[in-house]
Amino acid sequence: MVNEYAYCPRLAYLEWVQGEWAESADTVEGRSRHRRVDKRSGTPPAPDDAAAEPVRVHVQSLELSSPALGLVAKLDLAEFDGRRAVPVDYKHGRRPHVARGAYEPERIQLCVQALLLEEHGYESPEGVLYFAASRERVPVAFDAELREAARQAAAGLRLLATGGQIPPPLENSPKCPRCSLASICLPDEVHYLKTAQTPPRPLVVGQTPALPMYVQARGAKVSKKGEVLEVSVDDEKVADARLMDVSQLVLQGGVYLTAPAQHELMARGIPVTWLSHGGWFLGHTIGLGHRNVELRTAQYRASFDAGACLRFARGLVAAKIRNQRTLLRRNWKRGDLPESLLSEFRQDIEAAERAHDLAQLLGIEGNAAARYFRHFGEMLGGTGDASGAEPPTPWTFDFEQRNRRPPRDPVNALLSYLYSLLSRTLAVTLTAVGFDAYRGLYHQPRYGRPALALDMMEPFRPLLADSVLLTLVNNGEVDAGDFVTVAGAVGLNERGRRAVIAAFERRMSQEVTHPLFGYAAQYRQIVEIQCRLLGRHLLGELEQCPHFTTR
């Protein structure tokens, strides 16, 4: 952490105080390079035995601490020759061709180890940085200047942590693009939103290596075998997935998860989402949870501030209405969207942005939603016939209002199931970021309701749920055989749920251009970015929380 502080104080704060962490190719390679030296071996000689003959000893993974210095460290390697001790720190890359043979943070980190060795009675005038990729040893002399820099870095980090104020992000720094926490820190995005200068550099948001794994077969069992999750039905293996490829495990209905599998998932920070047979979100299982208490404190504080809730909710509802209008524009089947309808939506947006309280805002949102769903059928296509006539859509749908609990027609059944998938996605993402998904700002707390997840999903409802429904219906990916009707209630059967899940995850993996930042990212990454921007707003780094609206 002293190294991180010398490199970037904000990075050290995120990792040490807020408990953030993300893997990158560099961190994975570094951990692999350290496997050998992470195994404890050897015992250091007693430093106060002056009469004994000097003994050369190599000690790996040596743990040292000093209450006086307030430091704890695990040395990769320490080479002892009597009282003389040389700390050796392993680096996975190549030796940089810079002044003094290494960058300042690495030299400070090595000097901290020397201070600890000296605190335990050894002499440590110099150390070594070993660069594994180029197999080079770079000696580092611990002069007075470097020792003072190491002490100042340790003291500065401790002061930063106790101060409880996250440092500002670096501005257009070359350090940021390769930082594993760039998508958490969002340095370019925060700076751009505050100053409107220097558009953000694209985040490294290539193909997501890990994806959700869904299991819905009745009586299925999920177990762990080595590094693989296996799914079996009646003791016969039907599917498997590598743990490294799973971002979350989603279990619907009576699926059995073994204890060893659940322990491994919790250890890896992979959440398990539990859904009812009908697809209702019941909750999720995680490990110890996120350590970012600061973020939850800011969330709770804002949730009790009526003014803060209203300012956040105004933008949220306005963004939702804008996205509803955009979806109608894109999918209107009979020419262009009527100007009168556009004008009504425009009035709804302006009214939402001027709402005096949450009750008024709920009314505005309800009126806009009723208007939107009244014209929803205009986006559902028919099959046509030889004469060119357009037959009525085979889906029964109440165009005047949404019906649910239970849904009474196939389209409403699709909407309900898609909204449950979306709320589950937001709840898991918010929890992973560090929020309490059950304490909202717009939706008021209610027993068992993930209020903040419902808040954040509002602008995404048209983009990630309604649009998937249009794809399923208009492309013929679902038909009457995918539904069951019982006592007037319509629901999806197993085949129908499978089709909906596949379409929803395709949509989540679709790349779009972020309207504010100008770079392309998958929807699943944009959802996380929006959740993190909410955190930056609540922690006081952004005056307003920007909401996602597509063109």
Side-chain angles (χ1 to χ4, degrees), residues 318-353:
K320 176 186 178 181
I321 299 173
R322 285 189 174 94
N323 287 336
Q324 288 175 331
R325 181 182 62 182
T326 298
L327 192 70
L328 282 170
R329 272 177 168 168
R330 288 179 176 177
N331 297 279
W332 194 263
K333 296 297 182 182
R334 296 179 297 150
D336 296 329
L337 201 65
E339 183 58 36
S340 59
L341 186 56
L342 288 173
S343 176
E344 290 171 343
F345 277 120
R346 194 156 45 242
Q347 292 171 10
D348 290 333
I349 294 169
E350 293 172 354
E353 293 174 336

Side-chain angles (χ1 to χ4, degrees), residues 212-216 248-252 271-275 424:
M213 178 181 182
Y214 292 82
V215 183
Q216 62 168 342
Q248 57 182 282
L249 179 63
V250 184
L251 306 179
Q252 180 160 345
V272 180
T273 299
W274 306 89
L275 304 177
R424 182 264 307 164

